[in-house]
């Protein structure tokens, strides 16, 4: 079984910063792509940022220049540094990982439980 545990969410004022962390554990051989998605109230889930094991990064246009994604492959952990936060960033943020299982036959897409980020004055 593979689990993703997220932390770092909370309440911040506009212009503030938060750093989210997500660590994968369980029966893991390696992880290819890790990323962050978010879902605002009454909205669909959308991609925020992804990063491959080799360091290839993709950001949503709405967060470019403000958010930074990074990962520590040895710790199976992905981070999201969020700066210059806006009210529009308020959402539940979900961690995702494409996990290669020990038998190395296929990739398993795994989701975390989500962590709330609220940006309000």
């Amino acid at each position: 079984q593979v689990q993703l545990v997220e932390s770092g969410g909370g309440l911040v004022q506009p212009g503030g910063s938060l750093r989210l962390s997500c660590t994968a554990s369980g029966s893991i051989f390696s992880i290819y792509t890790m990323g962050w998605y978010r879902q605002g109230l009454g909205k669909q889930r959308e991609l925020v940022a992804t990063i491959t094991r080799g360091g290839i990064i993709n950001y949503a246009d709405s967060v470019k220049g403000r958010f930074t994604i990074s990962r520590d492959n040895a710790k199976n952990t992905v981070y999201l540094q969020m700066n210059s936060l806006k009210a529009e960033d308020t959402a539940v943020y979900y961690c995702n990982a494409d996990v290669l299982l020990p038998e190395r036959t296929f990739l398993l897409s795994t989701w975390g439980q989500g962590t709330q980020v609220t940006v309000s004055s």
Side-chain angles (χ1 to χ4, degrees):
Q1 185 179 19
V2 178
Q3 293 180 328
L4 301 181
V5 179
E6 301 147 328
S7 63
L11 173 65
V12 297
Q13 294 185 330
S17 298
L18 283 174
R19 186 174 187 252
L20 306 183
S21 299
C22 172
T23 299
S25 62
S27 300
I28 299 171
F29 181 80
S30 65
I31 302 175
Y32 182 53
T33 303
M34 303 188 79
W36 293 93
Y37 297 73
R38 67 186 182 186
Q39 186 169 17
L41 185 63
K43 300 180 180 180
Q44 297 183 16
R45 188 174 299 185
E46 64 177 357
L47 181 147
V48 177
T50 60
I51 180 170
T52 70
R53 184 173 183 85
I56 300 174
I57 294 173
N58 181 45
Y59 293 106
D61 288 340
S62 59
V63 306
K64 287 181 179 177
R66 299 188 299 120
F67 292 9
T68 302
I69 190 170
S70 61
R71 65 186 285 176
D72 186 332
N73 292 335
K75 297 180 179 180
N76 288 332
T77 298
V78 63
Y79 307 94
L80 185 68
Q81 178 66 48
M82 304 185 292
N83 299 325
S84 302
L85 283 162
K86 307 174 181 179
E88 300 93 295
D89 297 317
T90 296
V92 177
Y93 283 69
Y94 296 91
C95 177
N96 175 260
D98 292 329
V99 179
L100 185 63
L101 302 179
E103 293 184 348
R104 290 178 278 174
T105 56
F106 64 95
L107 291 172
L108 177 66
S109 183
T110 304
W111 292 90
Q113 78 287 345
T115 183
Q116 177 71 47
V117 172
T118 302
V119 185
S120 180
S121 57

